[in-house]
Amino acid sequence: MRNAAIGLILMLAGMGVLRAEGKPEVNLVFLGLAGYSELSPSGEVVGRGVEMVERIFAEAGYPIRKSILPPARIWRGLENGSIHAWPGIFNKPGLIEHTIQTERDLGYVGINLYYLPGRAPPVWPDDLRNGSVITITNYTYTEELRNLLADPSRNLAILRSNSHTGAVKMLRQGRGDYLLDYRSQVQSALGSLEMEPLPWVPVVELPMRLLLSRHSGFAEQLKQDLDEAFDRLKARDAQMEVNL
């Protein structure tokens, strides 16, 4: 009886070690961005950004489950905990209370102001006054940009498109004076439309980090492990920045 009890204690202790050492699978999602994170013909999530983020999770010892989702589904997943991590920018109102972010920058995301070829380069933001600006539905930009676009003294007409390709078409058709959009998304849209590059002026460069849902149950430990993994990889001279 005593030997059976000892055996049970040892078995439970062993299970405890496994639970302590084992790390949970992370539901990791990406936005679809050509070259950075996209689906291969076989349906696998691939790209330069995917490879870099995979290295960080592998170094930290976490198994991952990858997928590509649209912005609205990513926000909802981070808010309810069904999505654990997303490499992106911390600019969505309402996400602050539901997420924490890693300390290390994964690269920078550029937002540009695009205009039609043949026109003089606009002066940002003064030349927007009394004009029209095309923006993308469900893309949040930054609080500063949102306030600027909503400033009544600028008398701006804000036009919206449900897609980046649609926004590029709107600008090309002269249905707006300017397009305010993410650099990588416009490059992808121009490629899919087989259009020549649009002239642009830079507006802002935003640091990209891993946003972690507070509702996963392991966000704080995950943050620490990912930052430490990033530092180890960086110390080994790994390429740890992919700009968009």
Side-chain angles (χ1 to χ4, degrees):
M1 188 71 178
R2 183 172 177 272
N3 289 338
I6 292 173
L8 178 60
I9 291 171
L10 290 174
M11 181 182 72
L12 292 173
M15 291 174 62
V17 169
L18 287 176
R19 283 196 293 269
E21 292 179 352
K23 294 183 178 179
E25 182 181 62
V26 175
N27 186 11
L28 172 66
V29 299
F30 296 84
L31 281 173
L33 299 167
Y36 181 86
S37 51
E38 57 189 339
L39 291 177
S40 70
S42 63
E44 184 182 0
V45 180
V46 298
R48 294 176 293 120
V50 175
E51 292 172 4
M52 180 182 67
V53 174
E54 282 181 323
R55 287 202 303 273
I56 299 172
F57 277 90
E59 178 71 23
Y62 285 86
I64 58 174
R65 183 172 69 256
K66 299 177 295 181
S67 60
I68 290 179
L69 293 176
R73 289 187 60 187
I74 293 176
W75 313 154
R76 287 197 300 270
L78 290 170
E79 289 171 358
N80 63 33
S82 61
I83 290 172
H84 303 147
W86 168 60
I89 52 180
F90 203 56
N91 67 341
K92 174 73 169 64
L95 272 188
I96 294 176
E97 61 185 294
H98 298 288
T99 57
I100 60 174
Q101 62 175 327
T102 55
E103 300 293 334
R104 310 300 186 259
D105 293 343
L106 305 179
Y108 287 84
V109 177
I111 298 178
N112 297 333
L113 186 71
Y114 296 87
Y115 57 100
L116 286 174
R119 295 188 177 178
V123 176
W124 172 269
D126 296 340
D127 286 353
L128 269 63
R129 192 177 304 276
N130 301 319
S132 56
V133 179
I134 303 165
T135 61
I136 312 299
T137 303
N138 289 331
Y139 275 70
T140 54
Y141 301 95
T142 69
E143 182 177 4
E144 182 180 1
L145 290 177
R146 291 193 298 273
N147 291 338
L148 186 148
L149 295 175
D151 183 355
S153 70
R154 296 190 182 277
N155 191 33
L156 282 174
I158 305 301
L159 310 174
R160 302 192 185 278
S161 171
N162 290 327
S163 71
H164 301 277
T165 54
V168 168
K169 288 179 180 178
M170 287 175 66
L171 182 64
R172 281 290 194 180
Q173 293 165 1
R175 294 165 56 194
D177 296 318
Y178 306 106
L179 166 61
L180 185 66
D181 202 356
Y182 291 81
R183 176 174 57 212
S184 59
Q185 295 284 18
V186 172
Q187 289 173 347
S188 176
L190 289 168
S192 64
L193 293 169
E194 298 183 347
M195 289 184 175
E196 294 297 320
L198 287 165
W200 51 272
V201 295
V203 173
V204 66
E205 295 272 333
L206 303 171
M208 181 169 53
R209 297 182 179 180
L210 282 158
L211 272 67
L212 313 175
S213 174
R214 294 181 184 272
H215 310 297
S216 68
F218 53 91
E220 292 290 346
Q221 186 62 55
L222 179 60
K223 173 183 179 298
Q224 178 180 332
D225 291 343
L226 292 174
D227 281 334
E228 291 176 355
F230 182 99
D231 290 342
R232 291 195 298 271
L233 289 167
K234 191 76 172 176
R236 299 202 294 264
D237 294 325
Q239 174 59 41
M240 299 304 297
E241 182 175 297
V242 178
N243 294 321
L244 291 171

